[in-house]
Structure formats: C-alpha cells, structure tokens
C-alpha cells in the first residue's frame, strides 16, 4: 500500500496541472486536447475567424505586419501560423517595398535606354522578395495542410516554407531569424514561458518578437458586452458553421484564462527581451506585444 501511495505521489509530481479553458487538466492532456481542437476546426478556421470577428481579424493582422515593417532580406519565423495569414501578408508587404525600391532606382537612371530599363526591371522583378524568407511553423498537421492549400491556390511559393514543430521546442538553430511572430497562438501553448524562451533563442541579436493575441478589455461596460457576445454567440456560430460547439467554447474560455497585458509583458521581459511594450487594439480586445533581443 505504501509503495502504491509513493507511486501515486511520483505520478502527480510528473504530471503538473494546468488548464484547458475552465477545466483543470495535466499538461499532457492539455496538449492532446488542443491538438484535437485545431485538428477539428482547421477546415473552417478562416471562415470562423471572419464570422467571430466580423472580419476585423484581417485588420489586426495587417497592423501587425505594418508594425513589423519588414525590409527585403528579412527572415521571418511565424509560429502557430498554419493557415498562412501572416506569411502571405509578409510576402505582399516585402514585394510592395521591393516594387517601390525598383521604381526609385529607375527614376534615378533617366539616361538609360528603354532596353536597359527593361532588362534591369526584369532582373529585379525576378527577385521580388529580395532574399526574404518566411518559415511557417505549426504543431498541427491539419492546419499546415490548409495553409499549403491556400498558398497553392493564391499563388504563393517563392520565399515560403512550412515546418511541423512545437513552439515550446522549436526545430531551429540559435540566432537564426530576424523576426518572430505568433498571432492568436500563444494562448494555446501549454508553457508560455518555454515558448518565449524559444522565441528568444532562435532570434538573432537585434531580432524582434511580435505577438498578436486576444487580451483583456479595460472598459467595464464593453467587457460585459464582450463576454455576452463571446459566451452566447461564438459557440453557436461554431456549431452552425463548423459543426463544433465544444472547440469554440474552449477558444472563448482560453481567452478569459490568458494573462492580461501587463502580466504578459512581464513574462516577455523575464524571457530576456528588452524594450517590451504593447499596443491595445479595439479597447484591448486584442493587443500586439513587441520586444527585442539585444
């Protein structure tokens, strides 16, 4: 009996508890449950994002990429980015910067012949990303599958790669990326502290961390309305559109369990980042956290 009791104690010590929405579970159970959530919602993920946020998530992601302001040659790691939303925006942004650079270059060479201008334009056009690369890393095979299908359908191939990997144990070398982004993914990580440490590890010195995530609304009246919408409407939308009430109930609960802005800022600083700040969007419904590896 004593041996059995000791075994039980050791088992408890080896299985620390955490939360899955409002449920208390072990870390292993949480990882398994979250994997199943995104496996279930992958096919309808983009449609549900549009429905839940009335399309505003697109604006939030645009703001994130504009805040990043990537230049040609930037190497980006987008973690938990399975459906490609940040990656595609990054590619579009860098292409736009390259196009402006090319136009400025040609304006300063007015004495070139038409043939020289055409050859120069075609040569630069063939390098539309200027050696920029984006690596999409996601732990869920179904999310990556959807992202790859979208990329093929939309014509994205240059400078884009897809990697199956865990945010808490990234399959990349140290000091590798210029920018690390994670959009609406960090609250689904079991150990946020480990994910932040990994983000710090894989960034180059001078690299930037950017996190877009649902956060905490400070206005009491708006917070009550937001809660009402979240708990009464979003799970219903999940059932109607995706046939999955429980997954969207979890997603709502996970937002409420996520650390508020100041607490997450402190965690990012604890991971080693400097110049950490955040920008609230739509009264704190979401926030963009930023930090630098110096």
């Amino acid at each position: 009996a004593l041996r059995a009791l000791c075994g039980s104690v050791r088992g408890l010590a080896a299985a620390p508890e955490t939360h899955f929405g409002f449920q208390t579970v072990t870390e292993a159970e949480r990882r398994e449950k979250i994997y199943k959530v995104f496996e279930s919602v992958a096919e309808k993920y983009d449609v549900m994002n549009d429905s839940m946020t009335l399309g505003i998530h697109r604006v939030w992601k645009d703001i994130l990429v504009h805040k990043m302001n990537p230049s040609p040659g930037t190497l980006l790691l987008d973690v938990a980015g399975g459906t490609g939303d940040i990656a595609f925006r990054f590619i579009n942004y860098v292409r736009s910067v390259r196009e402006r650079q090319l136009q400025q270059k040609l304006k300063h060479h007015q004495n070139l012949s038409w043939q020289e201008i055409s050859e120069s334009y075609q040569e630069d056009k063939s390098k539309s990303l200027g050696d920029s690369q984006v690596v999409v890393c996601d732990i869920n095979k179904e999310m990556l599958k959807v992202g790859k299908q979208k990329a093929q359908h939309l014509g994205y191939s240059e400078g884009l790669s897809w990697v199956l990997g865990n945010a808490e144990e990234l399959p990349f070398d140290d000091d590798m990326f210029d920018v690390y982004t994670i959009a609406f993914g960090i609250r689904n990580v079991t150990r946020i502290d480990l994910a932040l440490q990994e983000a710090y590890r894989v960034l180059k010195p001078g690299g930037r961390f950017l996190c877009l995530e649902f956060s905490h609304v400070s206005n009491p009246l708006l917070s009550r309305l937001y809660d009402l919408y979240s708990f009464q409407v979003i799970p219903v939308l999940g059932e109607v559109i995706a046939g999955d009430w429980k997954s969207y109930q979890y997603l709502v609960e996970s937002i409420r369990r996520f650390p508020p802005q100041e607490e997450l800022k402190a965690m990012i600083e604890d991971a080693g980042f400097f110049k950490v700040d955040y920008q609230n969007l739509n009264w704190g419904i979401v926030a963009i956290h930023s930090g630098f590896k110096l």
Side-chain angles (χ1 to χ4, degrees), residues 41-289:
V41 305
E43 289 291 336
K44 297 289 185 177
Y45 186 75
D46 291 330
V47 176
M48 275 301 300
N49 278 345
D50 282 332
S51 301
M52 289 188 301
T53 69
L54 306 179
I56 300 173
H57 75 100
R58 298 173 181 269
V59 177
W60 296 332
K61 291 168 182 172
D62 287 341
I63 293 172
L64 176 71
V65 174
H66 278 81
K67 192 175 183 73
M68 184 198 313
N69 190 25
S71 57
T74 299
L75 182 57
L76 167 67
L77 173 63
D78 183 37
V79 176
T83 59
D85 275 5
I86 303 302
F88 303 153
R89 282 169 170 78
F90 170 83
I91 290 172
N92 291 343
Y93 193 97
V94 173
R95 281 177 177 169
S96 177
V97 172
R98 285 283 294 168
E99 182 69 24
R100 289 196 301 272
Q101 289 178 344
L102 176 57
Q103 291 174 0
Q104 289 295 321
K105 176 182 174 182
L106 295 178
K107 281 181 182 178
H108 287 88
H109 293 82
Q110 296 291 340
N111 58 338
L112 293 178
S113 68
W114 171 84
Q115 185 176 4
E116 288 171 325
I117 291 173
S118 177
E119 288 174 354
S120 176
Y121 184 83
Q122 292 302 322
E123 180 182 351
D124 287 336
K125 194 73 174 176
S126 66
K127 300 177 182 177
S128 64
L129 291 179
D131 298 322
S132 293
Q133 294 277 334
V134 53
V135 178
V136 179
C137 180
D138 200 292
I139 197 172
N140 194 288
K141 289 185 287 187
E142 289 302 313
M143 294 290 282
L144 285 174
K145 178 182 174 183
V146 171
K148 290 176 183 178
Q149 290 171 346
K150 281 176 63 181
Q152 185 175 15
H153 176 71
L154 297 171
Y156 292 102
S157 57
E158 180 193 3
L160 175 63
S161 56
W162 307 83
V163 174
L164 186 68
N166 185 347
E168 299 170 45
E169 194 175 353
L170 293 170
F172 306 108
D173 293 335
D174 297 354
D175 306 328
M176 190 171 173
F177 297 94
D178 299 302
V179 183
Y180 172 113
T181 54
I182 183 165
F184 303 117
I186 201 165
R187 77 178 189 282
N188 298 308
V189 170
T190 299
R191 289 281 305 277
I192 294 175
D193 58 333
L194 293 183
L196 292 173
Q197 289 169 24
E198 280 292 273
Y200 187 88
R201 180 183 67 79
V202 300
L203 278 170
K204 298 175 183 176
R208 189 175 192 183
F209 168 86
L210 285 166
C211 171
L212 172 64
E213 188 53 86
F214 287 107
S215 202
H216 289 248
V217 179
S218 56
N219 182 289
L221 177 59
L222 182 60
S223 180
R224 287 176 64 86
L225 292 174
Y226 181 45
D227 280 347
L228 187 66
Y229 174 76
S230 297
F231 287 99
Q232 301 299 322
V233 177
I234 289 178
V236 175
L237 288 174
E239 180 65 30
V240 172
I241 296 172
D244 191 341
W245 178 295
K246 289 184 178 180
S247 291
Y248 287 93
Q249 180 72 26
Y250 155 72
L251 292 175
V252 170
E253 292 175 359
S254 70
I255 294 169
R256 298 307 180 274
R257 292 298 301 263
F258 190 68
Q261 290 90 321
E262 285 293 331
E263 187 177 332
L264 181 60
K265 178 185 176 184
M267 294 176 73
I268 296 169
E269 290 172 335
D270 288 344
F273 289 100
F274 290 88
K275 289 180 66 68
V276 178
D277 61 15
Y278 60 87
Q279 175 186 357
N280 283 328
L281 304 178
N282 294 95
W283 304 280
I285 290 176
V286 300
I288 298 175
H289 281 77

